[in-house]
Amino acid sequence: MENVKILEIKQSVFANNDAQAEKLRQELKKRRIYLLNLMSSPGSGKTTTLTRLIEALRDEMRIGVMEADIDSDVDAKTIAATGAKAIQLHTGGMCHLDAAMTRQGLEGLEPGDDTELVILENVGNLVCPAEFDTGAVKNAMILSVPEGHDKPLKYPLMFQVCDVVLINKIDVLPYFDFDMAKCTEYIHMRNPNAKVFPICARTGEGIDAFAAWLKDEVTRWRG
Amino acid sequence: MENVKILEIKQSVFANNDAQAEKLRQELKKRRIYLLNLMSSPGSGKTTTLTRLIEALRDEMRIGVMEADIDSDVDAKTIAATGAKAIQLHTGGMCHLDAAMTRQGLEGLEPGDDTELVILENVGNLVCPAEFDTGAVKNAMILSVPEGHDKPLKYPLMFQVCDVVLINKIDVLPYFDFDMAKCTEYIHMRNPNAKVFPICARTGEGIDAFAAWLKDEVTRWRG
């Protein structure tokens, strides 16, 4: 396993997170870095999905990854093994990242001038992370098949703020009572513009479509 | 579907949650009501497990259930269909329940003098609910097989505060890379006294052992 830098994130003190997030986004725009905020429940497959995504994109662009976790550094080590620049952010029990905490993470990651894409893997939680703009250009989330197709009904804000929903673990669809059409309908009730990509991070199925969408996004952001 | 009472929970104002929780616990002790706090990630199977548990115990004791959710009332309707007294608590975006919010829920549920067991289904979240004593006699949590056996490493506090861990969805063990022995070892790293019950809420497998443990708990609490 690779050794990775671990950064202990401090609780931030800014009252106006939205303003901090907008400021960070504008700075990233100037530096031509695209920041994607990836959220999900614990165990939905964020790290495996990122591994596959990096494999699909690493010949096309330089990628950095910030792995937020309450504890442990297993995820950042997994990502570092792909060759992407990775840092582990320890939130010390905090349930989400806001813009100021994301900024601390970026200062720790130190993406070079040639870095085009930075991905923040947020804390595994469908509630709190949805409430805080991190300064990312877009929000993505993973819903895995075993969690059930009713989650957009139960966690409305998360689905409302996400531009992309990856439906992961489609290889186990035969063993679960998961209705893909209903799920897509519920997602679009929350956000009519959300892109939905069914994927299987374990086998790589469906990753190419998501990677193509993201590549297009990064290109347009960098201008 | 049954009609159920929906209660909008107000944010509580008490600085010292631990004292409020202890006070509530002592009041419940006097009323001979056992309160169980059930936590998990979204989609781990809390409501299905409760349905099975109620089926196993309803001839033995009177049960009330408080279903906390950010939005929707589907879970309370499912529980009410079992014949148990159920109430839906809407947290209005809040990511956990504390003791004062649990008290509001109990006032809304109005368990009769013959109620022996009340179960609080907490908000689906492995982070925040672990930080707040609800006043429950014991904490239980569900980890489902698709979430992975490494979760006790990543969400240490949740596993530390739980007296019981139900490992759900064991029917899909053949399709996931889940190591039951390692999972049990990790759980016991966090809490050496935690009881671990492998279950399948969908088929009812393993529920009897959990129900027997809970029945014994309730009997001892009521004295």
Side-chain angles (χ1 to χ4, degrees):
Chain A
M1 280 292 226
E2 317 270 330
N3 277 325
V4 294
K5 184 169 165 183
I6 297 177
L7 182 70
E8 307 293 333
I9 295 286
K10 291 176 206 72
Q11 187 128 30
S12 59
V13 290
F14 294 102
N16 191 339
N17 183 61
D18 284 350
Q20 293 299 321
E22 198 47 45
K23 190 166 167 243
L24 179 58
R25 201 157 25 241
Q26 291 315 317
E27 286 173 27
L28 289 168
K29 179 81 181 171
K30 271 185 208 140
R31 292 174 67 187
R32 301 179 69 228
I33 293 175
Y34 185 100
L35 177 63
L36 181 75
N37 175 29
L38 181 63
M39 300 178 280
S40 87
S41 285
S44 298
K46 288 188 291 301
T47 310
T48 310
T49 301
L50 280 190
T51 305
R52 291 290 182 180
L53 182 70
I54 292 164
E55 284 167 10
L57 289 177
R58 65 183 161 198
D59 293 337
E60 318 232 15
M61 59 181 78
R62 296 275 283 188
I63 304 171
V65 175
M66 302 186 285
E67 288 285 332
D69 229 329
I70 292 172
D71 208 346
S72 95
D73 60 357
V74 290
D75 290 344
K77 282 182 173 169
T78 306
I79 296 296
T82 67
K85 194 167 186 181
I87 185 172
Q88 184 76 51
L89 312 182
H90 277 179
T91 66
M94 281 181 289
C95 51
H96 67 276
L97 292 184
D98 64 15
M101 294 189 269
T102 304
R103 179 184 291 278
Q104 290 173 49
L106 283 164
E107 285 164 2
L109 180 69
E110 296 183 305
D113 286 341
D114 54 351
T115 300
E116 289 152 74
L117 170 64
V118 173
I119 302 172
L120 168 65
E121 184 182 315
N122 215 311
V123 181
N125 182 335
L126 287 193
V127 186
C128 319
E131 294 168 30
F132 296 88
D133 188 342
T134 58
V137 184
K138 291 280 165 79
N139 292 322
M141 68 91 63
I142 303 177
L143 173 68
S144 65
V145 164
E147 294 170 64
H149 58 251
D150 62 345
K151 291 299 160 289
L153 301 180
K154 295 190 172 183
Y155 300 90
L157 187 63
M158 176 56 76
F159 290 87
Q160 197 181 310
V161 303
C162 279
D163 307 281
V164 168
V165 178
L166 304 170
I167 302 183
N168 191 21
K169 307 189 187 176
I170 55 170
D171 57 329
V172 296
L173 272 168
Y175 314 114
F176 289 90
D177 181 24
F178 185 96
D179 188 324
M180 187 67 79
K182 256 191 199 155
C183 188
T184 306
E185 182 193 325
Y186 294 158
I187 291 167
H188 287 146
M189 271 169 54
R190 299 304 180 201
N191 178 359
N193 300 316
K195 299 264 176 206
V196 179
F197 295 107
I199 63 166
C200 174
R202 198 160 65 109
T203 62
E205 191 182 347
I207 292 290
D208 281 351
F210 172 49
W213 173 85
L214 188 54
K215 190 186 162 192
D216 186 52
E217 278 280 313
V218 171
T219 306
R220 280 194 286 137
W221 176 254
R222 289 169 50 86
Chain B
M1 282 292 227
E2 316 271 330
N3 277 324
V4 294
K5 184 169 166 182
I6 298 177
L7 183 70
E8 308 293 333
I9 295 285
K10 290 174 207 73
Q11 188 129 28
S12 60
V13 290
F14 295 103
N16 189 340
N17 182 61
D18 285 350
Q20 293 297 322
E22 198 47 45
K23 190 166 167 242
L24 179 58
R25 201 158 24 241
Q26 291 315 315
E27 287 173 27
L28 289 168
K29 178 83 179 169
K30 270 185 209 144
R31 292 174 67 187
R32 303 178 67 229
I33 293 174
Y34 185 100
L35 177 62
L36 181 75
N37 175 29
L38 181 62
M39 299 177 280
S40 87
S41 284
S44 298
K46 288 188 292 301
T47 310
T48 310
T49 301
L50 280 189
T51 305
R52 291 290 182 180
L53 182 70
I54 292 165
E55 285 168 9
L57 289 177
R58 66 183 159 197
D59 293 338
E60 318 233 15
M61 59 181 77
R62 296 275 282 188
I63 304 171
V65 175
M66 301 187 284
E67 288 285 332
D69 229 328
I70 291 173
D71 209 346
S72 95
D73 60 355
V74 290
D75 290 344
K77 282 181 174 171
T78 305
I79 295 297
T82 66
K85 194 168 186 180
I87 185 173
Q88 184 76 51
L89 313 182
H90 278 180
T91 67
M94 282 181 287
C95 51
H96 67 275
L97 291 184
D98 63 14
M101 293 189 269
T102 304
R103 179 184 291 276
Q104 289 172 48
L106 283 163
E107 285 165 2
L109 179 69
E110 296 182 304
D113 286 340
D114 53 351
T115 300
E116 289 152 73
L117 170 64
V118 173
I119 302 172
L120 169 64
E121 185 182 315
N122 215 311
V123 180
N125 183 335
L126 287 192
V127 186
C128 319
E131 295 168 29
F132 295 88
D133 187 342
T134 58
V137 184
K138 291 279 164 81
N139 292 321
M141 68 91 64
I142 303 178
L143 174 68
S144 64
V145 164
E147 293 169 65
H149 59 251
D150 62 345
K151 291 299 157 290
L153 301 181
K154 296 191 172 181
Y155 301 89
L157 187 62
M158 176 56 76
F159 290 87
Q160 196 182 310
V161 303
C162 278
D163 307 280
V164 169
V165 178
L166 304 170
I167 301 183
N168 191 22
K169 307 190 188 178
I170 55 170
D171 58 329
V172 295
L173 272 169
Y175 313 113
F176 289 90
D177 181 24
F178 185 97
D179 188 325
M180 187 67 79
K182 256 192 198 155
C183 189
T184 306
E185 181 193 327
Y186 294 156
I187 292 167
H188 288 146
M189 269 169 56
R190 298 306 179 198
N191 179 0
N193 300 317
K195 299 266 177 205
V196 178
F197 295 107
I199 64 166
C200 175
R202 198 160 64 108
T203 63
E205 191 183 346
I207 291 290
D208 281 354
F210 172 48
W213 173 85
L214 188 54
K215 191 187 162 189
D216 186 53
E217 278 280 312
V218 172
T219 305
R220 280 194 287 138
W221 177 255
R222 289 169 48 86

